[in-house]
């Protein structure tokens, strides 16, 4: 074991805000109170993701009252939760960055627990929502998403949907070097972490306003999650095509054997209709493989266009 110092000296809390005027003041008060109780220095960064209500005024007022600690970032329009968080990441100065939702579904009072878990040497601290207060549909959808995310990243985390999370600074720096437009931060963050852990946190119902995610936005988010880590969907067609072509080949063999080696075989097969099927399967399969191969190249283009850092050097020793 190397003697690492995992002590956190400065915490940045990042919150994306989209039309949350109803609960924003309570969030600010509770978060600042929690941060004041922590032994480390802290800052609180609120990103207004193109809100149309009073959210920005509330942020501006809080920043006026505590200019050293509250930082407001205003985006010119609505870009979505994950883009807003990225905009916040650009501003952080701390060595641990905590993201939290503005709707108070996750209590800000959990922040010290996340700091403690990070100080045990974890690069990313996830959270598991205890007795989750969402609709059955949302919970089922989450199950599927978490499975997909686990398979895609190889990191076994149970709850990718919960945004109350902590990242060490180098993980955030690495994420900022990923220039793709659509992204899913918890999965991206995990891909740069050495040690991760998950701690249980409380979860409450949304008290004010509605979820900012419609079914459509949710489906889009799932696609972001899937395409964020793998180009597997592009490859699926190749597999289908290979399977179809193989079935066609087997069918042809069967038809030939019946035709030549089994008595009365020429009456079977509906005057060549089955032969036609066999030929069609083979050609359809070949087409699919062709498209799949093009997909393979597109996948490579996609990876290169994203131009993610190939690796991220944590530190170098032995050189001045
Ligand atoms: N949010 C955002 N931009 C959006 C949608 C959501 O900044 O386009 C913020 C929102 O203000 C909240 C967080 O993302 O702080 C999570 O949103 P919400 O609570 O509606 O999502 P849910 O809890 O239903 O997943
Ligand atoms: Mg919520």
């Amino acid at each position: 074991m190397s003697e690492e110092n995992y002590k956190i000296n400065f915490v940045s809390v990042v919150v994306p805000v989209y039309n949350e005027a109803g609960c924003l003041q309570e969030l600010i008060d509770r978060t600042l109170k929690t941060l004041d109780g922590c032994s480390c220095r802290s800052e609180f960064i609120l990103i207004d993701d193109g809100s149309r209500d009073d959210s920005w005024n509330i942020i501006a007022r809080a920043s006026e009252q505590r200019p050293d600690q509250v930082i407001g970032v205003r985006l010119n329009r609505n870009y979505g939760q994950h883009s807003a968080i990225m905009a916040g990441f650009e501003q952080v100065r701390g060595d641990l960055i905590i993201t939290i939702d503005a709707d108070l579904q996750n209590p800000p009072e959990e922040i010290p627990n996340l700091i403690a878990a990070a100080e045990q040497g974890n690069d990313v601290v996830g959270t598991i929502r205890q007795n989750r207060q969402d609709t059955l549909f949302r919970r089922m959808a989450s199950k599927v998403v978490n499975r997909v995310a686990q398979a895609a990243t190889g990191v076994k985390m149970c709850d990718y949907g919960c945004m109350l999370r902590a990242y060490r600074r180098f993980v955030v720096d690495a994420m900022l070097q990923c220039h793709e437009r659509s992204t899913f931060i918890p999965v991206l963050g995990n891909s740069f972490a050495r040690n991760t852990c998950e701690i249980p946190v409380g979860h409450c119902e949304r008290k004010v306003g509605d979820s900012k995610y419609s079914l459509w936005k949710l489906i889009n988010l799932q696609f972001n999650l899937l395409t964020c880590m793998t180009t597997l969907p592009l490859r699926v067609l190749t597999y289908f095509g290979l399977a179809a072509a193989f079935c066609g080949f087997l069918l042809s063999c069967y038809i030939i054997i019946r035709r030549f080696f089994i008595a009365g075989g020429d009456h079977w097969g509906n005057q060549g209709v089955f032969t036609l099927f066999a030929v069609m399967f083979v050609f359809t399969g070949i087409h699919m493989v062709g498209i799949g191969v093009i997909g393979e190249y597109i996948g490579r283009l996609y990876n290169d266009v994203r131009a993610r850092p190939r690796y991220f050097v944590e530190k170098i020793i032995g050189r001045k």
Side-chain angles (χ1 to χ4, degrees), residues 20 101 103-105 134 138 203 206 211-212:
E20 304 281 11
D101 283 350
D103 57 359
L104 289 168
Q105 284 194 277
D134 277 320
R138 281 297 289 269
H203 193 244
R206 204 181 223 285
S211 170
K212 305 294 179 284

Side-chain angles (χ1 to χ4, degrees), residues 108-179:
E109 288 74 23
E110 302 275 4
I111 288 174
N113 300 337
L114 276 106
I115 299 174
E119 285 186 332
Q120 281 163 12
N122 292 300
D123 303 328
V124 172
V125 182
T127 51
I128 309 175
R129 290 170 276 196
Q130 302 295 301
N131 40 41
R132 191 171 158 190
Q133 303 293 320
D134 277 320
T135 59
L136 183 69
F137 172 75
R138 281 297 289 269
R139 291 200 306 261
M140 300 290 265
S142 284
K143 276 237 168 74
V144 178
V145 171
N146 288 324
R147 277 284 153 76
V148 172
Q150 281 176 12
T153 56
V155 183
K156 286 239 177 312
M157 274 209 172
C158 313
D159 197 351
Y160 275 97
C162 188
M163 290 305 287
L164 176 57
R165 302 171 91 78
Y167 308 91
R168 268 182 194 275
R169 178 61 174 272
F170 79 85
V171 177
V172 167
D173 287 340
M175 284 196 261
L176 285 172
Q177 287 189 29
C178 301
H179 296 290

